[in-house]
Amino acid sequence: LTACGGASDTEPTPPTIHYGEDTCELCNMIISEERYAAAYVTEDGHGHAFDDIGDMLRAHQEMQEEATAFFVHNYQDRAWIRAETAHYVLSDYLTTPMASGLAACSTPEEAQALAAELQGQVLMFDELKTYYQDMPPMTMGTGGEQHLHDQEKSP
């Protein structure tokens, strides 16, 4: 997966994801649900794609790479949006590929409505990054799949 462009004077763009074919860089599961897919782009223009917003945050934290941009999909219309400006809903009632319970919205109004519907809370990107910094490390399952230790859903 590579990002389009790459010139330093152009706005970074998310990598192209072939849904149902490409795999998440953290858990190696096939990326199939567009509304939860996420990505970041490094300074060299390399795109990293994930099947869940939580996987993107975890991977970025573990890889400790400089990212020029983060991208998530708007939960409502599935359009790519910049993760740094998105509004996130964290809810136990939101079933996501890797159980992060996270969905992204373009506006605070969309996020508040979704949070009310799903009994969740609205967070900003910096709050999510802090939340993931405080999480326990990942462990490998018996089948090679990665799992998070039991975790509390509220930051």
Side-chain angles (χ1 to χ4, degrees):
L1 299 172
T2 57
C4 299
S8 60
D9 60 341
T10 61
E11 189 67 23
T13 57
T16 300
I17 298 174
H18 300 96
Y19 297 97
E21 297 175 24
D22 291 339
T23 59
C24 174
E25 289 194 32
L26 185 68
C27 70
N28 292 317
M29 288 180 59
I30 291 176
I31 304 171
S32 59
E33 295 187 62
E34 186 177 14
R35 70 172 30 164
Y36 302 116
Y40 68 85
V41 178
T42 56
E43 290 179 339
D44 64 1
H46 182 74
H48 298 272
F50 305 92
D51 64 345
D52 191 295
I53 296 167
D55 273 12
M56 175 187 69
L57 293 165
R58 171 69 73 178
H60 180 255
Q61 172 192 323
E62 290 180 5
M63 291 183 209
Q64 297 184 359
E65 300 182 283
E66 282 298 318
T68 58
F70 294 86
F71 298 94
V72 291
H73 283 96
N74 181 322
Y75 183 79
Q76 302 300 334
D77 66 11
R78 296 175 175 83
W80 279 116
I81 56 176
R82 287 294 293 265
E84 300 93 322
T85 59
H87 304 267
Y88 298 87
V89 174
L90 176 63
S91 172
D92 288 335
Y93 296 101
L94 192 57
T95 304
T96 62
M98 293 304 292
S100 70
L102 286 169
C105 298
S106 296
T107 67
E109 295 81 14
E110 285 178 2
Q112 288 295 342
L114 186 61
E117 177 185 332
L118 298 173
Q119 301 175 27
Q121 59 183 314
V122 176
L123 301 167
M124 297 303 294
F125 191 65
D126 286 340
E127 293 171 305
L128 283 179
K129 286 172 54 179
T130 300
Y131 175 55
Y132 274 83
Q133 287 172 350
D134 295 338
M135 291 181 87
M138 295 187 75
T139 60
M140 294 301 289
T142 56
E145 70 278 7
Q146 295 176 329
H147 295 280
L148 293 176
H149 287 277
D150 291 335
Q151 57 185 319
E152 184 97 10
K153 285 281 187 179
S154 58

